[in-house]
Amino acid sequence: MSNLRIAIQKAGRLHDESMEILKDIGISIDNGKDQLKAAARDFPVEVFYLRNGDIPQYLRDGVVDAAIIGENILIEKGSDLPFVERLGFSKCKVSIAVPKESDATCLKDLAGKEIATSYPETVKRFLEAQGITAKLHIINGSVEIAPNIGLADGICDIVSSGSTLFKNGLKEIEVLLKSEAVLAVSPKMDDERKAILAKIQFRIQSVLKGRNSKYILLNAPNDKLPEIIKILPGMRSPTVLPLAEKGWTSVHTVISKNQFWEIIDELKSKGAEGILVCPIEKMVL
């Protein structure tokens, strides 16, 4: 069987989170010697450690079959390449920012001005869609310094927490797009490797469902049970078990972590007690 060749970022936060999800889906990689390519011990996969900006071309050429890559890079350098899964980590924005003392408050205020960026294609398409003309300075790295040295009136770069903008005396005035890690694929992948990728996707989906859900157990008075069950979404329906103490029932179910606190508050108001919340490692539906 051929190995599926999957690329991940060589270093940084996206690298660490990519390695974590591979580990969570049962793919162990031994890269103790910092090799640029390493094979999994227990799955037909080879991992290529590449510069993020180079990955789209490797996908396009069929050198790698799939990649965990920032959606922002895919939009900038691989808009012709498809992705098959959103991975929910390494979230950021691609934003326009200007010096705090600038009078600019929106993108239109930079019409005819100069913008420094590492994302020229993304900015160009956005400006064209808005009918705005501006001059672009293409910079690879340290974009935030450009306004301070008089190179540009504003910048366009990725923003995670916003701390880098704050440290460099900049303020965000426009968000071009929101990004997260995605699983992108090569248009040249053969059927044998597509079958391996399908197995990886299934495992990833199980891990992501687990990360986005909580398993809860609670005790409910029998006279309140119908009301409590009505609150709980569950995968199909909650599990209901009688307790040794008469008049009480144990209820087990899974809820989305995004709904967690609202549901817990409502459960308490209906008389639920002894609510236990457990993380879910994986969830196979």
Side-chain angles (χ1 to χ4, degrees), residues 157-174:
D157 202 13
I158 58 169
V159 177
S160 296
S161 66
S163 61
T164 303
L165 293 184
F166 179 79
K167 290 174 184 176
N168 286 277
L170 301 172
K171 62 180 180 182
E172 181 183 79
I173 62 169
E174 191 91 33

Side-chain angles (χ1 to χ4, degrees), residues 36-95:
L36 295 180
K37 183 177 77 168
R41 296 194 298 270
D42 44 13
F43 201 81
V45 162
E46 284 182 306
V47 174
F48 288 61
Y49 302 94
L50 305 172
R51 287 181 65 252
N52 213 22
D54 294 338
I55 290 175
Q57 191 60 51
Y58 279 83
L59 285 167
R60 198 175 286 115
D61 293 341
V63 176
V64 295
D65 306 300
I68 298 176
I69 185 172
E71 187 180 4
N72 56 305
I73 295 295
L74 205 60
I75 290 170
E76 173 66 23
K77 295 190 173 184
S79 57
D80 57 317
L81 297 168
F83 67 85
V84 294
E85 204 72 52
R86 292 187 177 275
L87 301 177
F89 55 81
S90 291
K91 293 185 177 183
C92 64
K93 300 177 288 185
V94 176
S95 299

Side-chain angles (χ1 to χ4, degrees), residues 66 85 179 188:
E85 204 72 52
S179 172
K188 296 187 177 182

Side-chain angles (χ1 to χ4, degrees), residues 34-275:
D34 293 328
Q35 306 166 91
L36 295 180
K37 183 177 77 168
R41 296 194 298 270
D42 44 13
F43 201 81
V45 162
E46 284 182 306
V47 174
F48 288 61
Y49 302 94
L50 305 172
R51 287 181 65 252
N52 213 22
D54 294 338
I55 290 175
Q57 191 60 51
Y58 279 83
L59 285 167
R60 198 175 286 115
D61 293 341
V63 176
V64 295
D65 306 300
I68 298 176
I69 185 172
E71 187 180 4
N72 56 305
I73 295 295
L74 205 60
I75 290 170
E76 173 66 23
K77 295 190 173 184
S79 57
D80 57 317
L81 297 168
F83 67 85
V84 294
E85 204 72 52
R86 292 187 177 275
L87 301 177
F89 55 81
S90 291
K91 293 185 177 183
C92 64
K93 300 177 288 185
V94 176
S95 299
I96 299 280
V98 296
K100 287 182 179 178
E101 65 274 11
S102 171
D103 293 332
T105 59
C106 64
L107 186 60
K108 288 182 180 179
D109 293 334
L110 291 180
K113 303 288 182 69
E114 300 184 347
I115 302 172
T117 185
S118 300
Y119 297 89
E121 295 303 317
T122 302
V123 179
K124 193 183 301 181
R125 287 193 294 266
F126 194 83
L127 290 174
E128 287 174 357
Q130 301 293 322
I132 296 170
T133 302
K135 182 178 179 181
L136 300 185
H137 282 292
I138 302 172
I139 300 177
N140 294 315
S142 301
V143 175
E144 296 85 0
I145 198 173
N148 294 327
I149 60 175
L151 184 62
D153 301 288
I155 68 161
C156 181
D157 202 13
I158 58 169
V159 177
S160 296
S161 66
S163 61
T164 303
L165 293 184
F166 179 79
K167 290 174 184 176
N168 286 277
L170 301 172
K171 62 180 180 182
E172 181 183 79
I173 62 169
E174 191 91 33
V175 176
L176 275 62
L177 59 93
K178 293 183 179 180
S179 172
E180 63 184 277
V182 296
L183 181 63
V185 295
S186 169
K188 296 187 177 182
M189 184 169 31
D190 60 35
D191 290 341
E192 187 176 12
R193 291 187 170 104
K194 285 179 182 177
I196 300 171
L197 180 66
K199 291 181 180 180
I200 288 176
Q201 263 191 272
F202 171 76
R203 294 187 183 192
I204 287 175
Q205 289 165 1
S206 298
V207 169
L208 295 180
K209 285 170 186 169
R211 288 181 180 181
N212 292 322
S213 304
K214 298 288 185 183
Y215 188 81
I216 67 168
L217 305 84
L218 59 91
N219 296 331
N222 288 350
D223 61 338
K224 297 287 186 179
L225 191 57
E227 293 179 67
I228 287 173
I229 288 176
K230 195 179 292 185
I231 297 168
L232 297 170
M235 289 181 289
R236 189 178 297 273
S237 66
T239 300
V240 178
L241 301 169
L243 291 178
E245 183 179 346
K246 288 184 179 180
W248 285 84
T249 297
S250 176
V251 181
H252 301 203
T253 193
V254 173
I255 62 175
S256 166
K257 71 176 185 180
N258 296 326
Q259 300 174 289
F260 175 73
W261 286 112
E262 291 81 0
I263 290 176
I264 293 297
D265 289 341
E266 199 170 351
L267 288 171
K268 286 187 68 180
S269 73
K270 297 297 183 183
E273 296 181 6
I275 302 172

